[in-house]
Amino acid sequence: MEFDRIAEKYDGWFKTPLGSHVDRLEKELTFRLLAPRPGERVLDVGTGTANYLLELARMGLDCTGLDPGPTMVSIAGAKARAEGLDLRLVRARAEALPFVSQGFDIVLSVTAFEFFQDPALAVSEMVRVCRPGGRIVIGVLNKWSLWALKRRILSWFRESVFTQCRFYSYPEMRRLTKPASWGTAVFAPPWTPPSLIPRFDRWERRLQALARPFGAYLVVRRDR
Amino acid sequence: MALSKELLDILACPKCKGEIHLNEKGDGLICNACKLLYEIRDDIPVMLIDEAKPIKD
């Protein structure tokens, strides 16, 4: 599977100057909407190499993650063991979650929704496994951004993880998820040189308010 | 390392969402209703309907 071949490259990008800027802003927005508390049971749907799930484990949440392919899950497991953190990992698909109903306080999915074959079914499954009063938070790459345009164009020329995915705009996510709140982040364009990153950092919060539909990363929160 | 009890408690069959239980060898999870075996490979339960094995009566 394609995802399994790019797993290491995928983790490497977040260590570049622009990659770490993006990762930090995306996490800030996701965790602002997620409002995680120690001890809560979280399910990460499409956990990949457990970038978010490990962060939540460090905060003291009770963490379960799933991904369909073997490589992502084994990298996630190795990273957790290296840190002495306990993650429960399962291979499964978002459209057929192998969990009892209402078993989680939080259901999270970050940059995975783009790859689900049946997004409406995935949402109903995420709602099913979330307890009443819990929250479902989904982060996607915003269709209405220069990053999505760049990824789309590049995928015509070379194989990338984004070749077989679909991007969503806020109106599409609103229709699919009926969110209680939402936001976007990352307003630096994809070709931003490292020297300009601090400037975009200063503008980021203002742009999040003024140009909300157009940040490169879009997060919706649905309350159960 | 075996599967933790906490994980077993929250796992369900991905197809019918019903109860599953460990097989005798401890290397798979069985859904009696769907008559399917979900293998555990490298300590990871493979809860994919396409990869589940039918169980003979």
mmCIF file of all heavy atoms in Angstrom, chain A residues 44-83:
data_model
loop_
_atom_site.group_PDB
_atom_site.id
_atom_site.type_symbol
_atom_site.label_atom_id
_atom_site.label_comp_id
_atom_site.label_asym_id
_atom_site.label_seq_id
_atom_site.Cartn_x
_atom_site.Cartn_y
_atom_site.Cartn_z
ATOM 1 N N ASP A 44 -8.099 7.697 17.974
ATOM 2 C CA ASP A 44 -7.565 8.429 16.824
ATOM 3 C C ASP A 44 -7.772 7.580 15.567
ATOM 4 O O ASP A 44 -7.175 6.518 15.412
ATOM 5 C CB ASP A 44 -6.071 8.715 17.063
ATOM 6 C CG ASP A 44 -5.483 9.637 16.001
ATOM 7 O OD1 ASP A 44 -6.252 10.222 15.212
ATOM 8 O OD2 ASP A 44 -4.243 9.764 15.965
ATOM 9 N N VAL A 45 -8.640 8.085 14.685
ATOM 10 C CA VAL A 45 -9.028 7.329 13.494
ATOM 11 C C VAL A 45 -8.112 7.719 12.325
ATOM 12 O O VAL A 45 -8.135 8.861 11.872
ATOM 13 C CB VAL A 45 -10.508 7.614 13.149
ATOM 14 C CG1 VAL A 45 -10.929 6.831 11.905
ATOM 15 C CG2 VAL A 45 -11.416 7.278 14.326
ATOM 16 N N GLY A 46 -7.303 6.790 11.854
ATOM 17 C CA GLY A 46 -6.292 7.101 10.837
ATOM 18 C C GLY A 46 -5.095 7.727 11.518
ATOM 19 O O GLY A 46 -4.641 8.810 11.161
ATOM 20 N N THR A 47 -4.574 7.033 12.514
ATOM 21 C CA THR A 47 -3.545 7.622 13.390
ATOM 22 C C THR A 47 -2.192 7.767 12.699
ATOM 23 O O THR A 47 -1.357 8.549 13.146
ATOM 24 C CB THR A 47 -3.431 6.796 14.697
ATOM 25 O OG1 THR A 47 -2.654 7.510 15.641
ATOM 26 C CG2 THR A 47 -2.773 5.437 14.450
ATOM 27 N N GLY A 48 -1.984 7.057 11.595
ATOM 28 C CA GLY A 48 -0.711 7.160 10.869
ATOM 29 C C GLY A 48 0.440 6.732 11.763
ATOM 30 O O GLY A 48 0.395 5.684 12.407
ATOM 31 N N THR A 49 1.473 7.587 11.856
ATOM 32 C CA THR A 49 2.604 7.253 12.723
ATOM 33 C C THR A 49 2.387 7.804 14.132
ATOM 34 O O THR A 49 3.342 8.004 14.881
ATOM 35 C CB THR A 49 3.917 7.766 12.130
ATOM 36 O OG1 THR A 49 3.814 9.182 11.973
ATOM 37 C CG2 THR A 49 4.194 7.151 10.770
ATOM 38 N N ALA A 50 1.142 8.070 14.484
ATOM 39 C CA ALA A 50 0.732 8.455 15.843
ATOM 40 C C ALA A 50 1.276 9.808 16.301
ATOM 41 O O ALA A 50 1.476 10.038 17.492
ATOM 42 C CB ALA A 50 1.100 7.368 16.859
ATOM 43 N N ASN A 51 1.484 10.706 15.341
ATOM 44 C CA ASN A 51 1.945 12.060 15.659
ATOM 45 C C ASN A 51 1.076 12.717 16.736
ATOM 46 O O ASN A 51 1.577 13.229 17.732
ATOM 47 C CB ASN A 51 1.938 12.864 14.345
ATOM 48 C CG ASN A 51 2.461 14.283 14.491
ATOM 49 O OD1 ASN A 51 3.064 14.646 15.498
ATOM 50 N ND2 ASN A 51 2.223 15.097 13.474
ATOM 51 N N TYR A 52 -0.251 12.670 16.558
ATOM 52 C CA TYR A 52 -1.164 13.288 17.529
ATOM 53 C C TYR A 52 -1.403 12.394 18.743
ATOM 54 O O TYR A 52 -1.497 12.860 19.861
ATOM 55 C CB TYR A 52 -2.502 13.629 16.855
ATOM 56 C CG TYR A 52 -2.433 14.941 16.118
ATOM 57 C CD1 TYR A 52 -1.743 15.037 14.920
ATOM 58 C CD2 TYR A 52 -3.012 16.094 16.638
ATOM 59 C CE1 TYR A 52 -1.631 16.241 14.256
ATOM 60 C CE2 TYR A 52 -2.911 17.304 15.976
ATOM 61 C CZ TYR A 52 -2.229 17.376 14.790
ATOM 62 O OH TYR A 52 -2.117 18.579 14.143
ATOM 63 N N LEU A 53 -1.510 11.104 18.488
ATOM 64 C CA LEU A 53 -1.843 10.189 19.578
ATOM 65 C C LEU A 53 -0.735 10.168 20.636
ATOM 66 O O LEU A 53 -1.016 10.139 21.842
ATOM 67 C CB LEU A 53 -2.074 8.788 19.004
ATOM 68 C CG LEU A 53 -2.876 7.835 19.894
ATOM 69 C CD1 LEU A 53 -4.254 8.396 20.192
ATOM 70 C CD2 LEU A 53 -3.011 6.468 19.239
ATOM 71 N N LEU A 54 0.526 10.232 20.188
ATOM 72 C CA LEU A 54 1.642 10.256 21.147
ATOM 73 C C LEU A 54 1.599 11.529 21.988
ATOM 74 O O LEU A 54 1.857 11.511 23.188
ATOM 75 C CB LEU A 54 2.980 10.143 20.414
ATOM 76 C CG LEU A 54 3.314 8.740 19.896
ATOM 77 C CD1 LEU A 54 4.470 8.790 18.909
ATOM 78 C CD2 LEU A 54 3.653 7.799 21.044
ATOM 79 N N GLU A 55 1.255 12.634 21.324
ATOM 80 C CA GLU A 55 1.129 13.913 22.042
ATOM 81 C C GLU A 55 0.061 13.789 23.145
ATOM 82 O O GLU A 55 0.245 14.244 24.271
ATOM 83 C CB GLU A 55 0.719 14.983 21.028
ATOM 84 C CG GLU A 55 1.041 16.389 21.395
ATOM 85 C CD GLU A 55 2.495 16.759 21.130
ATOM 86 O OE1 GLU A 55 2.969 16.628 19.987
ATOM 87 O OE2 GLU A 55 3.135 17.178 22.101
ATOM 88 N N LEU A 56 -1.055 13.136 22.801
ATOM 89 C CA LEU A 56 -2.144 12.964 23.765
ATOM 90 C C LEU A 56 -1.753 11.994 24.879
ATOM 91 O O LEU A 56 -2.138 12.172 26.036
ATOM 92 C CB LEU A 56 -3.420 12.497 23.046
ATOM 93 C CG LEU A 56 -4.043 13.567 22.143
ATOM 94 C CD1 LEU A 56 -5.016 12.944 21.149
ATOM 95 C CD2 LEU A 56 -4.762 14.637 22.970
ATOM 96 N N ALA A 57 -0.952 10.980 24.528
ATOM 97 C CA ALA A 57 -0.476 10.035 25.551
ATOM 98 C C ALA A 57 0.439 10.767 26.536
ATOM 99 O O ALA A 57 0.381 10.533 27.746
ATOM 100 C CB ALA A 57 0.255 8.875 24.889
ATOM 101 N N ARG A 58 1.272 11.680 26.015
ATOM 102 C CA ARG A 58 2.155 12.471 26.890
ATOM 103 C C ARG A 58 1.333 13.334 27.845
ATOM 104 O O ARG A 58 1.765 13.641 28.944
ATOM 105 C CB ARG A 58 3.080 13.362 26.054
ATOM 106 C CG ARG A 58 4.175 12.605 25.339
ATOM 107 C CD ARG A 58 5.059 13.521 24.488
ATOM 108 N NE ARG A 58 5.655 12.746 23.396
ATOM 109 C CZ ARG A 58 5.474 12.979 22.089
ATOM 110 N NH1 ARG A 58 4.755 14.021 21.689
ATOM 111 N NH2 ARG A 58 6.027 12.209 21.190
ATOM 112 N N MET A 59 0.131 13.771 27.397
ATOM 113 C CA MET A 59 -0.738 14.597 28.255
ATOM 114 C C MET A 59 -1.507 13.746 29.265
ATOM 115 O O MET A 59 -2.296 14.287 30.037
ATOM 116 C CB MET A 59 -1.770 15.349 27.395
ATOM 117 C CG MET A 59 -1.205 16.384 26.473
ATOM 118 S SD MET A 59 -2.585 17.136 25.532
ATOM 119 C CE MET A 59 -1.701 17.818 24.136
ATOM 120 N N GLY A 60 -1.373 12.425 29.176
ATOM 121 C CA GLY A 60 -2.013 11.563 30.163
ATOM 122 C C GLY A 60 -3.392 11.055 29.777
ATOM 123 O O GLY A 60 -4.167 10.653 30.646
ATOM 124 N N LEU A 61 -3.692 11.071 28.460
ATOM 125 C CA LEU A 61 -4.971 10.494 28.045
ATOM 126 C C LEU A 61 -4.811 8.993 27.800
ATOM 127 O O LEU A 61 -3.701 8.498 27.622
ATOM 128 C CB LEU A 61 -5.497 11.182 26.778
ATOM 129 C CG LEU A 61 -6.170 12.531 27.048
ATOM 130 C CD1 LEU A 61 -5.143 13.638 27.101
ATOM 131 C CD2 LEU A 61 -7.231 12.850 26.008
ATOM 132 N N ASP A 62 -5.928 8.319 27.766
ATOM 133 C CA ASP A 62 -5.970 6.876 27.549
ATOM 134 C C ASP A 62 -6.165 6.671 26.041
ATOM 135 O O ASP A 62 -7.234 6.969 25.510
ATOM 136 C CB ASP A 62 -7.170 6.344 28.355
ATOM 137 C CG ASP A 62 -7.309 4.861 28.242
ATOM 138 O OD1 ASP A 62 -6.414 4.165 28.729
ATOM 139 O OD2 ASP A 62 -8.301 4.414 27.661
ATOM 140 N N CYS A 63 -5.104 6.201 25.351
ATOM 141 C CA CYS A 63 -5.044 6.360 23.890
ATOM 142 C C CYS A 63 -5.210 5.080 23.094
ATOM 143 O O CYS A 63 -4.493 4.105 23.309
ATOM 144 C CB CYS A 63 -3.706 6.977 23.508
ATOM 145 S SG CYS A 63 -3.532 8.668 24.085
ATOM 146 N N THR A 64 -6.121 5.116 22.140
ATOM 147 C CA THR A 64 -6.318 4.027 21.198
ATOM 148 C C THR A 64 -6.251 4.610 19.787
ATOM 149 O O THR A 64 -6.820 5.681 19.541
ATOM 150 C CB THR A 64 -7.701 3.365 21.403
ATOM 151 O OG1 THR A 64 -7.834 2.987 22.771
ATOM 152 C CG2 THR A 64 -7.874 2.141 20.520
ATOM 153 N N GLY A 65 -5.550 3.924 18.890
ATOM 154 C CA GLY A 65 -5.442 4.426 17.521
ATOM 155 C C GLY A 65 -5.631 3.318 16.521
ATOM 156 O O GLY A 65 -5.380 2.156 16.813
ATOM 157 N N LEU A 66 -6.082 3.689 15.326
ATOM 158 C CA LEU A 66 -6.220 2.688 14.274
ATOM 159 C C LEU A 66 -5.763 3.247 12.944
ATOM 160 O O LEU A 66 -5.794 4.457 12.699
ATOM 161 C CB LEU A 66 -7.665 2.205 14.181
ATOM 162 C CG LEU A 66 -8.709 3.218 13.723
ATOM 163 C CD1 LEU A 66 -8.937 3.143 12.229
ATOM 164 C CD2 LEU A 66 -10.007 2.964 14.455
ATOM 165 N N ASP A 67 -5.320 2.353 12.109
ATOM 166 C CA ASP A 67 -4.927 2.655 10.747
ATOM 167 C C ASP A 67 -5.060 1.334 9.979
ATOM 168 O O ASP A 67 -4.879 0.277 10.570
ATOM 169 C CB ASP A 67 -3.469 3.150 10.720
ATOM 170 C CG ASP A 67 -3.276 4.248 9.690
ATOM 171 O OD1 ASP A 67 -3.583 5.407 10.002
ATOM 172 O OD2 ASP A 67 -2.840 3.934 8.561
ATOM 173 N N PRO A 68 -5.389 1.377 8.675
ATOM 174 C CA PRO A 68 -5.582 0.091 8.002
ATOM 175 C C PRO A 68 -4.283 -0.663 7.693
ATOM 176 O O PRO A 68 -4.244 -1.886 7.774
ATOM 177 C CB PRO A 68 -6.334 0.457 6.723
ATOM 178 C CG PRO A 68 -6.167 1.915 6.545
ATOM 179 C CD PRO A 68 -5.848 2.506 7.872
ATOM 180 N N GLY A 69 -3.217 0.049 7.318
ATOM 181 C CA GLY A 69 -2.005 -0.623 6.837
ATOM 182 C C GLY A 69 -1.081 -1.078 7.953
ATOM 183 O O GLY A 69 -1.139 -0.540 9.057
ATOM 184 N N PRO A 70 -0.216 -2.074 7.663
ATOM 185 C CA PRO A 70 0.667 -2.590 8.714
ATOM 186 C C PRO A 70 1.833 -1.667 9.071
ATOM 187 O O PRO A 70 2.251 -1.614 10.230
ATOM 188 C CB PRO A 70 1.186 -3.907 8.127
ATOM 189 C CG PRO A 70 1.053 -3.764 6.645
ATOM 190 C CD PRO A 70 -0.106 -2.844 6.414
ATOM 191 N N THR A 71 2.376 -0.929 8.096
ATOM 192 C CA THR A 71 3.624 -0.202 8.352
ATOM 193 C C THR A 71 3.428 0.990 9.280
ATOM 194 O O THR A 71 4.190 1.188 10.234
ATOM 195 C CB THR A 71 4.252 0.271 7.024
ATOM 196 O OG1 THR A 71 4.329 -0.844 6.166
ATOM 197 C CG2 THR A 71 5.647 0.823 7.256
ATOM 198 N N MET A 72 2.381 1.792 8.999
ATOM 199 C CA MET A 72 2.113 2.964 9.835
ATOM 200 C C MET A 72 1.926 2.538 11.296
ATOM 201 O O MET A 72 2.503 3.125 12.207
ATOM 202 C CB MET A 72 0.845 3.686 9.359
ATOM 203 C CG MET A 72 1.021 4.459 8.068
ATOM 204 S SD MET A 72 1.983 5.981 8.326
ATOM 205 C CE MET A 72 1.577 6.896 6.852
ATOM 206 N N VAL A 73 1.127 1.498 11.486
ATOM 207 C CA VAL A 73 0.833 1.034 12.840
ATOM 208 C C VAL A 73 2.100 0.501 13.532
ATOM 209 O O VAL A 73 2.308 0.733 14.719
ATOM 210 C CB VAL A 73 -0.284 -0.039 12.806
ATOM 211 C CG1 VAL A 73 -0.418 -0.741 14.133
ATOM 212 C CG2 VAL A 73 -1.618 0.608 12.433
ATOM 213 N N SER A 74 2.971 -0.174 12.765
ATOM 214 C CA SER A 74 4.164 -0.704 13.438
ATOM 215 C C SER A 74 5.143 0.424 13.769
ATOM 216 O O SER A 74 5.817 0.379 14.807
ATOM 217 C CB SER A 74 4.801 -1.845 12.638
ATOM 218 O OG SER A 74 5.560 -1.346 11.587
ATOM 219 N N ILE A 75 5.215 1.450 12.926
ATOM 220 C CA ILE A 75 6.050 2.616 13.267
ATOM 221 C C ILE A 75 5.483 3.310 14.517
ATOM 222 O O ILE A 75 6.211 3.667 15.437
ATOM 223 C CB ILE A 75 6.133 3.617 12.086
ATOM 224 C CG1 ILE A 75 6.920 3.001 10.932
ATOM 225 C CG2 ILE A 75 6.787 4.939 12.523
ATOM 226 C CD1 ILE A 75 6.953 3.840 9.673
ATOM 227 N N ALA A 76 4.160 3.463 14.546
ATOM 228 C CA ALA A 76 3.504 4.082 15.713
ATOM 229 C C ALA A 76 3.838 3.308 16.989
ATOM 230 O O ALA A 76 4.205 3.894 18.014
ATOM 231 C CB ALA A 76 1.990 4.130 15.502
ATOM 232 N N GLY A 77 3.750 1.984 16.913
ATOM 233 C CA GLY A 77 4.040 1.140 18.070
ATOM 234 C C GLY A 77 5.487 1.279 18.519
ATOM 235 O O GLY A 77 5.773 1.375 19.722
ATOM 236 N N ALA A 78 6.418 1.321 17.556
ATOM 237 C CA ALA A 78 7.837 1.441 17.892
ATOM 238 C C ALA A 78 8.123 2.793 18.553
ATOM 239 O O ALA A 78 8.875 2.880 19.531
ATOM 240 C CB ALA A 78 8.684 1.275 16.627
ATOM 241 N N LYS A 79 7.486 3.862 18.037
ATOM 242 C CA LYS A 79 7.691 5.197 18.628
ATOM 243 C C LYS A 79 7.183 5.225 20.065
ATOM 244 O O LYS A 79 7.804 5.811 20.954
ATOM 245 C CB LYS A 79 6.971 6.274 17.783
ATOM 246 C CG LYS A 79 7.741 6.635 16.514
ATOM 247 C CD LYS A 79 6.881 7.381 15.500
ATOM 248 C CE LYS A 79 6.591 8.816 15.850
ATOM 249 N NZ LYS A 79 5.795 9.493 14.784
ATOM 250 N N ALA A 80 6.027 4.608 20.303
ATOM 251 C CA ALA A 80 5.447 4.583 21.654
ATOM 252 C C ALA A 80 6.363 3.815 22.614
ATOM 253 O O ALA A 80 6.638 4.286 23.722
ATOM 254 C CB ALA A 80 4.055 3.956 21.620
ATOM 255 N N ARG A 81 6.845 2.655 22.160
ATOM 256 C CA ARG A 81 7.730 1.850 23.025
ATOM 257 C C ARG A 81 9.005 2.616 23.357
ATOM 258 O O ARG A 81 9.480 2.584 24.486
ATOM 259 C CB ARG A 81 8.066 0.521 22.343
ATOM 260 C CG ARG A 81 6.974 -0.537 22.498
ATOM 261 C CD ARG A 81 7.461 -1.914 22.065
ATOM 262 N NE ARG A 81 7.791 -1.966 20.647
ATOM 263 C CZ ARG A 81 6.890 -2.121 19.671
ATOM 264 N NH1 ARG A 81 5.608 -2.236 19.962
ATOM 265 N NH2 ARG A 81 7.263 -2.164 18.413
ATOM 266 N N ALA A 82 9.559 3.325 22.356
ATOM 267 C CA ALA A 82 10.797 4.078 22.572
ATOM 268 C C ALA A 82 10.614 5.131 23.670
ATOM 269 O O ALA A 82 11.555 5.482 24.374
ATOM 270 C CB ALA A 82 11.241 4.740 21.267
ATOM 271 N N GLU A 83 9.390 5.654 23.787
ATOM 272 C CA GLU A 83 9.123 6.683 24.799
ATOM 273 C C GLU A 83 8.541 6.096 26.079
ATOM 274 O O GLU A 83 8.233 6.847 27.015
ATOM 275 C CB GLU A 83 8.108 7.694 24.250
ATOM 276 C CG GLU A 83 8.725 8.796 23.436
ATOM 277 C CD GLU A 83 7.756 9.957 23.290
ATOM 278 O OE1 GLU A 83 7.382 10.586 24.299
ATOM 279 O OE2 GLU A 83 7.344 10.226 22.147
#
